Amino acid sequence: MADHNDRTPNIPGPRQEHPAATHGQAAGLPAAAPLLEELEDKPTRTEALRAWWADAWDAGGVLRDRWEDLRQAPDLGWHGMATWLKAALGLAGICLVILLLDGATDALAAILHSLLTAAPRVQVGTDTSSGILAVIDQPIRTYIAAHSTSLPITGATVYTVWQLVGLFGLIGGFARSSGARITWTAWGAASIAMVHSAAPADGRTIATGLAVLAWTAASTFALRGLTLRPAFFTHIHNAGHQIEPHIHLPAPAAPDADDTPDNVHPLQKR
């Protein structure tokens, strides 16, 4: 029998859990901290990063495959290079275009503003041209100055836009652009209408006639190659091949006197 008076403490062995740990888990307390040997076995972040870097540059690794795509891209060309490389180059090109447009916006706005404000001053009754040009130009200036007072832009700006539109129609029409030729036609009709409306009453007919003649003369360049003659298209139909069916019967073989019966005779023509 065990001695109940033995007060020797119960020391747990190396594989036996400590009673305090078991009691703590039963009570819902956090488990005991891991041993120092287990902490030393886990790799550090630096070692894990080194291992990933070595695996990425091995055969079949992520970085090794990307490097091979970059190295082979000059030889493969645009159609043969990797898809991710095409996407990266396209995105870089779009970003470059956006940066260039953003930088050029202010410069283009300043050039356009200086171009629109560089027009001569439009005043009613003020003739800045001379000769035959004044017969057409002065009524147009007068008409623009009289009808642009309520607009948010000045008469000089309207006069500049009118000149630019006419120049565009002339050059574009010479290049055989359909839109530019329509613009040239509308611009000429509007110019003739302004001359007829703002020209002096006693010389209105002459001024309008000169405007029509000047516009038609300039139209020889803007509407070059345009003709009002109807176009005739001649279609030549080639005769098709004629097919005439013929039936050819092979000539019968010469009968053998020994094997052919007396009632069989070859087919003859009559």
Side-chain angles (χ1 to χ4, degrees), residues 97-116:
V97 171
I98 293 176
L99 291 176
L100 292 177
L101 291 178
D102 183 63
T105 301
D106 297 336
L108 291 177
I111 293 174
L112 183 61
H113 178 72
S114 61
L115 181 63
L116 293 178

Side-chain angles (χ1 to χ4, degrees), residues 91 106 114 178 193 223 238:
L91 183 60
D106 297 336
S114 61
S178 300
L223 305 179
N238 296 326

Side-chain angles (χ1 to χ4, degrees), residues 46-58 61-64:
T46 305
E47 294 176 351
L49 182 60
R50 290 177 180 175
W52 178 86
W53 183 263
D55 294 339
W57 281 105
D58 288 340
V62 178
L63 298 180
R64 180 67 175 272

Side-chain angles (χ1 to χ4, degrees), residues 2-8:
D3 190 3
H4 295 283
N5 296 327
D6 188 6
R7 302 193 178 195
T8 304

Side-chain angles (χ1 to χ4, degrees), residues 122-126 137-147 194 198-199:
V122 181
Q123 295 180 357
V124 178
T126 301
D137 183 67
Q138 177 60 26
I140 293 176
R141 289 172 177 268
T142 303
Y143 185 90
I144 292 176
H147 294 81
M194 286 190 291

Side-chain angles (χ1 to χ4, degrees), residues 246-250:
H246 296 278
I247 300 176
H248 298 277
L249 296 177

Side-chain angles (χ1 to χ4, degrees), residues 73-91:
D75 299 332
L76 297 177
W78 175 259
H79 297 285
M81 67 175 59
T83 305
W84 71 269
L85 193 55
K86 293 181 183 179
L89 292 177
L91 183 60

